[in-house]
Amino acid sequence: MCGIFAYAGPRDVVEVLLTALKRLQYRGYDSCGIAVLDGDELMVVKEAGPIDRLEKRLTQYTFQARAGIAHTRWATHGQPTTVNAHPHTDCSGTVAVVHNGVIENYRELSQRLTERGHILRSQTDTELIAHLIEEALSEQSRTEDVPNEQVFLQSVRQALSQISGTYAIACLWEGAPGLMIGARHGCPLIVGAGEQEVCLSSDLNAVLPITRKVHILNDDELVLLSEKNLIIVSVTGQELSPRFQVIDWQLVQEDRAGFPTFMLKEIYEQPDRIEEILSQRCRGEQIPFFEELTLRPSELIGFRRIIIEAAGTSWHAGIYGKYLLEKYLRLPTEAEIASEFRYRQPVLEQDTLVIAISQSGETADTLAGLRQAKSRFVRVLGFCNVPGSTLSRESDGTIFLLAGPEVGVASTKAYTAQLIHLFLFTLYLGRLRWILDEDQIRSILSSLSGLPEKMRVVLESHDPIVRDCARRFQNARHFLYLARGINYPTALEGALKLKEISYIHASGYAAGEFKHGPIALVDKDCPVVCIAPTDSVYEKTFSNIEEVRARGGRLIVVTTEGNSDFDQMAEFVFTIPPIFEDLTPLLTVLPLQLLAHHIASLKGLDVDKPRNLAKSVTVE
Ligand code: AGP
């Protein structure tokens, strides 16, 4: 969840570290810090709060550094204070470590270290790593023929061998100026190899401005890096050849392109993204095709059951996928919350395909679900946005979402990219399994042609009215979201968007389930957002909405253009252009994203970096 960056090279190290931290801050933003080797002296500067505070403090220093490490934190162990911010150092202040992940034998290690005389200053698990390295360094017999870099490497290996849990680390030691060591076990870490400069990061976005030539560390690999050297070794000490690849991925734009927030920029990017996805996947109205998919068609034909596992917004997309796969392919499909799937004892047989959906490709629970499936010899197909991510590397095949980098913590364009890919994948599988013929597919595909334009219309025409609605309801204490059928996940997603960025309680329900309890919540102060396009379940949804109105609920309705049923009933009506029923969720979610955004902005909240959240949830 936190961001790691390390750099060695001729540029201004502090400036490079700060720029990288700004790119990483969406991964965690409660505190941050850097450590540099100023000549052969280790200097650490850290701060609670946002990066500009650290930046301001750093103006007081002038460092002559050739190497440094940096971290932006999302607290797991210990409050987000300056003392708990990374980097952490050992007793002598000669070793500095930044870390992502969780050390599970934290208690046992801290007790052991304290008994041996170490003074632990923070409440973090990370600090223990610095002390373990310190101990290992002092145990290493330093003879003249063992260079310091080998001593350092051996010490880090020895320290890591005592840890159980997950980690990606980067560390510095005064005894080996200009050198950094990184290691990973369960958390991503990417090595960038430029011309006479190297870097290391938890996130591709921070590496790409330095170089596109990368080596993605595998679990239990370490890397020793300096301006001139890049050595990969296994945790057992065996030297490995780097597996370099050149990454061709659009860089996260640092500016918001005139939008007040990244989230709003990303909401407005959706029509272009969908247009691009359709042109890449369907090339006109061809049968959808996924070039990167390494699962063979012969394998995809044999499955008799599908389990989709994912978290948060990606899970909502998974429910949409379930509805489509069952409808078109008649394949039993479940959409599971990853954190439940991983711990219950699901029936996983070899005729099952597991689909793991994740924007980041680093969500701990989703990865654990993937690993569970693989350990039972079940094939896993990933739907993922980030190239090189753990999910894309560990799945048996991956479909990339092509949403481009998403910075706002609240997922928007990745969600619609997930929906459209699930839609296209259903058609692809339908063709492969001879359930849908070419004519049926072409006729369904023809309904996609106007989709990007319709998305543009919804966004552009609704912005002012959604702002009015946001003003009216910004002080509501809770919101309810209702829908049926293919838009049920839209209700869940609309509610999630609102609560995560505006901190207003919101729940989404299947409209038919509402009168089995939640309807008791409805009163004259309760806004109820009803998603009711004129689809095959419209009449049923309409009756449920009438029940809400009869109890005094304040209605906000999303329906299809030309439907006047709600003109007298609802305080606000947002309309979508008519479209094929199974594509309506790509339109109905748009005003709900805007509503959440505008309410949070009116409340003066940090939309892109909501409290307590981080972009990728790499701890369970
Ligand atoms: C979405 O707005 C959330 N911030 C969150 O629910 C997210 O979708 C979830 O953590 C899963 O992330 P992933 O898609 O990267 O796996």
Side-chain angles (χ1 to χ4, degrees), residues 311-314 357-361 363 366 409-411 418 496-497 500 615 617:
T313 289
S314 298
I357 307 179
S358 173
Q359 186 286 128
S360 60
T363 298
T366 310
V409 164
S411 187
Q418 286 164 345
L496 177 63
K497 284 293 85 86
E500 73 179 319
K615 184 68 184 158
V617 183

mmCIF file of all heavy atoms in Angstrom, residues 311-314 357-361 363 366 409-411 418 496-497 500 615 617, ligand 1:
data_model
loop_
_atom_site.group_PDB
_atom_site.id
_atom_site.type_symbol
_atom_site.label_atom_id
_atom_site.label_comp_id
_atom_site.label_asym_id
_atom_site.label_seq_id
_atom_site.Cartn_x
_atom_site.Cartn_y
_atom_site.Cartn_z
ATOM 1 N N ALA A 311 -11.868 -7.657 -5.334
ATOM 2 C CA ALA A 311 -12.198 -6.835 -4.161
ATOM 3 C C ALA A 311 -12.762 -5.487 -4.608
ATOM 4 O O ALA A 311 -12.408 -4.989 -5.677
ATOM 5 C CB ALA A 311 -10.940 -6.607 -3.320
ATOM 6 N N GLY A 312 -13.606 -4.910 -3.758
ATOM 7 C CA GLY A 312 -14.091 -3.535 -3.966
ATOM 8 C C GLY A 312 -14.762 -3.365 -5.313
ATOM 9 O O GLY A 312 -15.604 -4.162 -5.737
ATOM 10 N N THR A 313 -14.356 -2.302 -5.992
ATOM 11 C CA THR A 313 -14.918 -2.000 -7.298
ATOM 12 C C THR A 313 -14.733 -3.157 -8.269
ATOM 13 O O THR A 313 -15.620 -3.460 -9.079
ATOM 14 C CB THR A 313 -14.235 -0.718 -7.838
ATOM 15 O OG1 THR A 313 -14.719 0.381 -7.065
ATOM 16 C CG2 THR A 313 -14.530 -0.472 -9.296
ATOM 17 N N SER A 314 -13.604 -3.815 -8.197
ATOM 18 C CA SER A 314 -13.349 -4.937 -9.115
ATOM 19 C C SER A 314 -14.327 -6.078 -8.850
ATOM 20 O O SER A 314 -14.715 -6.798 -9.767
ATOM 21 C CB SER A 314 -11.906 -5.429 -8.964
ATOM 22 O OG SER A 314 -11.025 -4.394 -9.299
ATOM 23 N N ILE A 357 -9.900 -10.445 -10.891
ATOM 24 C CA ILE A 357 -9.968 -9.096 -11.475
ATOM 25 C C ILE A 357 -9.313 -8.113 -10.515
ATOM 26 O O ILE A 357 -9.636 -8.083 -9.324
ATOM 27 C CB ILE A 357 -11.431 -8.650 -11.714
ATOM 28 C CG1 ILE A 357 -12.178 -9.699 -12.541
ATOM 29 C CG2 ILE A 357 -11.469 -7.293 -12.414
ATOM 30 C CD1 ILE A 357 -13.645 -9.338 -12.789
ATOM 31 N N SER A 358 -8.412 -7.295 -11.041
ATOM 32 C CA SER A 358 -7.774 -6.287 -10.185
ATOM 33 C C SER A 358 -7.192 -5.163 -11.031
ATOM 34 O O SER A 358 -6.436 -5.432 -11.973
ATOM 35 C CB SER A 358 -6.655 -6.945 -9.376
ATOM 36 O OG SER A 358 -5.933 -5.974 -8.676
ATOM 37 N N GLN A 359 -7.549 -3.947 -10.696
ATOM 38 C CA GLN A 359 -6.953 -2.799 -11.399
ATOM 39 C C GLN A 359 -5.447 -2.823 -11.206
ATOM 40 O O GLN A 359 -4.689 -2.815 -12.157
ATOM 41 C CB GLN A 359 -7.550 -1.506 -10.842
ATOM 42 C CG GLN A 359 -7.158 -0.211 -11.540
ATOM 43 C CD GLN A 359 -5.745 0.271 -11.260
ATOM 44 O OE1 GLN A 359 -4.981 0.541 -12.202
ATOM 45 N NE2 GLN A 359 -5.347 0.352 -10.022
ATOM 46 N N SER A 360 -5.022 -2.862 -9.939
ATOM 47 C CA SER A 360 -3.593 -2.730 -9.627
ATOM 48 C C SER A 360 -2.820 -4.000 -9.910
ATOM 49 O O SER A 360 -1.626 -3.963 -10.204
ATOM 50 C CB SER A 360 -3.422 -2.399 -8.151
ATOM 51 O OG SER A 360 -3.975 -3.447 -7.362
ATOM 52 N N GLY A 361 -3.499 -5.135 -9.758
ATOM 53 C CA GLY A 361 -2.783 -6.418 -9.865
ATOM 54 C C GLY A 361 -1.941 -6.704 -8.644
ATOM 55 O O GLY A 361 -1.095 -7.603 -8.668
ATOM 56 N N THR A 363 -3.508 -6.450 -5.247
ATOM 57 C CA THR A 363 -4.361 -6.583 -4.065
ATOM 58 C C THR A 363 -4.083 -7.923 -3.376
ATOM 59 O O THR A 363 -4.223 -8.993 -3.986
ATOM 60 C CB THR A 363 -5.833 -6.460 -4.498
ATOM 61 O OG1 THR A 363 -5.990 -5.157 -5.059
ATOM 62 C CG2 THR A 363 -6.785 -6.630 -3.339
ATOM 63 N N THR A 366 -6.790 -10.742 -3.442
ATOM 64 C CA THR A 366 -7.032 -11.290 -4.784
ATOM 65 C C THR A 366 -5.866 -12.190 -5.195
ATOM 66 O O THR A 366 -6.063 -13.262 -5.779
ATOM 67 C CB THR A 366 -7.237 -10.129 -5.789
ATOM 68 O OG1 THR A 366 -8.202 -9.240 -5.235
ATOM 69 C CG2 THR A 366 -7.708 -10.621 -7.132
ATOM 70 N N VAL A 409 -7.776 7.496 -5.958
ATOM 71 C CA VAL A 409 -7.973 6.276 -5.167
ATOM 72 C C VAL A 409 -9.329 5.641 -5.519
ATOM 73 O O VAL A 409 -9.458 4.423 -5.576
ATOM 74 C CB VAL A 409 -7.846 6.591 -3.662
ATOM 75 C CG1 VAL A 409 -8.403 5.478 -2.811
ATOM 76 C CG2 VAL A 409 -6.371 6.810 -3.325
ATOM 77 N N ALA A 410 -10.321 6.473 -5.767
ATOM 78 C CA ALA A 410 -11.620 5.942 -6.166
ATOM 79 C C ALA A 410 -11.548 5.510 -7.630
ATOM 80 O O ALA A 410 -11.311 6.318 -8.521
ATOM 81 C CB ALA A 410 -12.690 7.008 -5.977
ATOM 82 N N SER A 411 -11.766 4.245 -7.848
ATOM 83 C CA SER A 411 -11.629 3.703 -9.204
ATOM 84 C C SER A 411 -12.816 4.122 -10.068
ATOM 85 O O SER A 411 -13.970 3.985 -9.659
ATOM 86 C CB SER A 411 -11.571 2.182 -9.084
ATOM 87 O OG SER A 411 -11.275 1.620 -10.312
ATOM 88 N N GLN A 418 -13.152 -2.554 -16.947
ATOM 89 C CA GLN A 418 -13.426 -3.937 -16.526
ATOM 90 C C GLN A 418 -14.755 -4.415 -17.121
ATOM 91 O O GLN A 418 -14.860 -5.528 -17.635
ATOM 92 C CB GLN A 418 -13.485 -4.017 -14.994
ATOM 93 C CG GLN A 418 -12.113 -3.911 -14.348
ATOM 94 C CD GLN A 418 -12.176 -3.611 -12.850
ATOM 95 O OE1 GLN A 418 -13.210 -3.214 -12.318
ATOM 96 N NE2 GLN A 418 -11.055 -3.787 -12.165
ATOM 97 N N LEU A 496 -20.399 2.722 -3.044
ATOM 98 C CA LEU A 496 -18.974 2.667 -2.644
ATOM 99 C C LEU A 496 -18.265 3.980 -2.997
ATOM 100 O O LEU A 496 -17.501 4.525 -2.195
ATOM 101 C CB LEU A 496 -18.270 1.481 -3.321
ATOM 102 C CG LEU A 496 -16.769 1.357 -3.047
ATOM 103 C CD1 LEU A 496 -16.486 1.117 -1.575
ATOM 104 C CD2 LEU A 496 -16.150 0.237 -3.875
ATOM 105 N N LYS A 497 -18.565 4.500 -4.201
ATOM 106 C CA LYS A 497 -17.908 5.750 -4.617
ATOM 107 C C LYS A 497 -18.221 6.845 -3.613
ATOM 108 O O LYS A 497 -17.342 7.586 -3.198
ATOM 109 C CB LYS A 497 -18.396 6.216 -5.999
ATOM 110 C CG LYS A 497 -17.882 5.484 -7.215
ATOM 111 C CD LYS A 497 -16.422 5.648 -7.506
ATOM 112 C CE LYS A 497 -15.570 4.700 -6.759
ATOM 113 N NZ LYS A 497 -15.291 3.406 -7.226
ATOM 114 N N GLU A 500 -16.531 6.234 -0.022
ATOM 115 C CA GLU A 500 -15.069 6.275 0.102
ATOM 116 C C GLU A 500 -14.486 7.682 -0.026
ATOM 117 O O GLU A 500 -13.442 7.956 0.533
ATOM 118 C CB GLU A 500 -14.386 5.280 -0.841
ATOM 119 C CG GLU A 500 -14.375 5.622 -2.293
ATOM 120 C CD GLU A 500 -13.654 4.571 -3.141
ATOM 121 O OE1 GLU A 500 -12.605 4.056 -2.731
ATOM 122 O OE2 GLU A 500 -14.146 4.289 -4.250
ATOM 123 N N LYS A 615 -4.388 3.366 -2.795
ATOM 124 C CA LYS A 615 -4.799 2.909 -4.118
ATOM 125 C C LYS A 615 -4.712 1.400 -4.258
ATOM 126 O O LYS A 615 -5.598 0.769 -4.805
ATOM 127 C CB LYS A 615 -3.938 3.601 -5.174
ATOM 128 C CG LYS A 615 -4.335 3.289 -6.600
ATOM 129 C CD LYS A 615 -5.680 3.891 -6.940
ATOM 130 C CE LYS A 615 -6.156 3.519 -8.331
ATOM 131 N NZ LYS A 615 -7.613 3.665 -8.448
ATOM 132 N N VAL A 617 -4.239 -2.202 -2.236
ATOM 133 C CA VAL A 617 -4.308 -2.711 -0.874
ATOM 134 C C VAL A 617 -3.472 -3.995 -0.800
ATOM 135 O O VAL A 617 -3.957 -5.086 -1.030
ATOM 136 C CB VAL A 617 -5.784 -2.946 -0.463
ATOM 137 C CG1 VAL A 617 -5.882 -3.408 0.982
ATOM 138 C CG2 VAL A 617 -6.570 -1.655 -0.650
HETATM 139 C C1 AGP B 1 -12.327 1.513 -5.524
HETATM 140 O O1 AGP B 1 -12.815 2.785 -5.676
HETATM 141 C C2 AGP B 1 -11.594 1.241 -4.336
HETATM 142 N N1 AGP B 1 -10.685 2.227 -3.960
HETATM 143 C C3 AGP B 1 -11.249 -0.200 -4.006
HETATM 144 O O2 AGP B 1 -12.457 -0.788 -3.637
HETATM 145 C C4 AGP B 1 -10.554 -1.086 -5.062
HETATM 146 O O3 AGP B 1 -11.417 -1.319 -6.132
HETATM 147 C C5 AGP B 1 -10.130 -2.399 -4.392
HETATM 148 O O4 AGP B 1 -9.213 -2.122 -3.381
HETATM 149 C C6 AGP B 1 -9.552 -3.396 -5.362
HETATM 150 O O5 AGP B 1 -8.418 -2.911 -5.991
HETATM 151 P P1 AGP B 1 -7.819 -3.608 -7.263
HETATM 152 O O6 AGP B 1 -8.803 -3.501 -8.351
HETATM 153 O O7 AGP B 1 -6.550 -2.870 -7.530
HETATM 154 O O8 AGP B 1 -7.577 -5.047 -6.894
#
